[in-house]
Amino acid sequence: DMLESPPLVRRGQRVTAVSRGAGIEVRMDAEAMASAAAGDRLRLRNAATGRMLEGTVQPDGTVAIAP
């Protein structure tokens, strides 16, 4: 337990999901479905569409979504 990283993102928190590919970057507001530390996989709900996404929490608190 002492070696675990503290959560960077908390369940219910609004985060920025970022998807990059082919020279384009798309950012969207999303809601975290769980708490997670940097490097953890995290499920998100897109705030605009309600669509479920999954990505990796980045050290700056954004979540990288694979295209």
Side-chain angles (χ1 to χ4, degrees):
D1 284 335
M2 295 181 71
L3 298 179
E4 288 184 24
S5 298
L8 185 59
V9 174
R10 302 258 180 216
R11 182 174 188 239
Q13 180 179 335
R14 287 285 179 136
V15 297
T16 299
V18 182
S19 181
R20 294 178 180 98
I24 189 168
E25 177 178 282
V26 176
R27 292 177 170 262
M28 63 198 91
D29 289 331
E31 178 184 351
M33 296 289 99
S35 296
D40 289 347
R41 297 288 294 170
L42 179 65
R43 287 181 46 90
L44 308 167
R45 178 180 297 128
N46 181 310
T49 66
R51 180 175 171 223
M52 297 302 291
L53 307 166
E54 187 172 323
T56 304
V57 178
Q58 302 300 297
D60 66 357
T62 62
V63 180
I65 307 296

